[in-house]
Amino acid sequence: MKKCKYCNADMNDDETTCRYCGSVQPVDGTTPPPFGGNSFAGTNGTSNNQYNYTFNAQEYYQRNNAFDSDARGKSRGVAALLAIFLGGLGIQYFYLGKTTAGILSIILTVVTCGLWEIVTLIQGILMLCMSNYDFTQKYVESPSTFPVF
C-alpha cells in the first residue's frame, strides 16, 4: 500500500492514478504541487489547475510600493498634509494641478463658514491611508475636475 501524494488516500502499489482525486502520481520522486510543478493531468486528460497560481512581484510593488514612480511627481504625503492643514483654501488641489477644484474649495469654505475644512481634513486622512497606486489613479490621473473622496 502507498499513499497518494496529493490527497493522502490509500492506493495499491501498482496504481499510477488516484481513484479519489484523479491525479497521476509522479514516478520519478518529484514533489507534487504546490511545491513542485504548476499542474498535473487528471484521469480524463484535462489539466487540474487548482495549484496553478503565480505571484507577479512587479505588479504587487507597482500597486503597493511606498516609492512608486507612477506618481508623476506628485507626492501623496505632501498632498495629504496640504489637505489636512490648508484644505479649506484648496491648496492640495492646486498642488495636484486641479485649479477648478481649488477655486471651488475656496468658495465652499466661504459659503459654509469654514465647515468645508472638516471634509478636507477627512480627505487628507484618507489620502494618507491609501496606496500610491490608488492615489495616482484617483487624484493625479483622474479626469475628474473635483475629486473629493
Side-chain angles (χ1 to χ4, degrees):
M1 291 298 284
K2 64 180 182 180
K3 298 268 187 190
C4 173
K5 294 189 183 227
Y6 302 101
C7 69
N8 208 23
D10 290 328
M11 296 176 57
N12 293 331
D13 290 333
D14 58 339
E15 289 180 319
T16 58
T17 305
C18 178
R19 59 182 164 234
Y20 295 104
C21 68
S23 62
V24 177
Q25 301 299 304
V27 292
D28 58 354
T30 59
T31 305
F35 304 109
N38 285 339
S39 64
F40 54 92
T43 55
N44 58 2
T46 62
S47 176
N48 185 349
N49 289 327
Q50 68 181 359
Y51 295 112
N52 191 7
Y53 53 88
T54 58
F55 175 74
N56 188 346
Q58 183 178 5
E59 180 182 336
Y60 174 81
Y61 285 114
Q62 182 180 4
R63 293 183 60 88
N64 299 315
N65 194 1
F67 304 106
D68 190 11
S69 62
D70 247 2
R72 310 259 192 278
K74 304 300 180 191
S75 172
R76 176 177 54 97
V78 171
L81 291 175
L82 288 173
I84 290 171
F85 294 112
L86 300 171
L89 300 174
I91 303 298
Q92 74 275 17
Y93 291 119
F94 290 115
Y95 173 74
L96 295 171
K98 311 260 184 202
T99 54
T100 305
I103 294 168
L104 284 173
S105 185
I106 293 171
I107 293 170
L108 282 171
T109 302
V110 171
V111 169
T112 61
C113 298
L115 291 176
W116 176 251
E117 292 183 13
I118 296 171
V119 174
T120 60
L121 172 72
I122 295 169
Q123 179 186 27
I125 293 169
L126 290 175
M127 281 182 185
L128 282 176
C129 295
M130 66 177 50
S131 68
N132 277 347
Y133 179 81
D134 294 334
F135 171 78
T136 304
Q137 293 297 316
K138 181 161 187 71
Y139 294 103
V140 179
E141 294 179 355
S142 172
S144 173
T145 57
F146 193 50
V148 180
F149 293 117

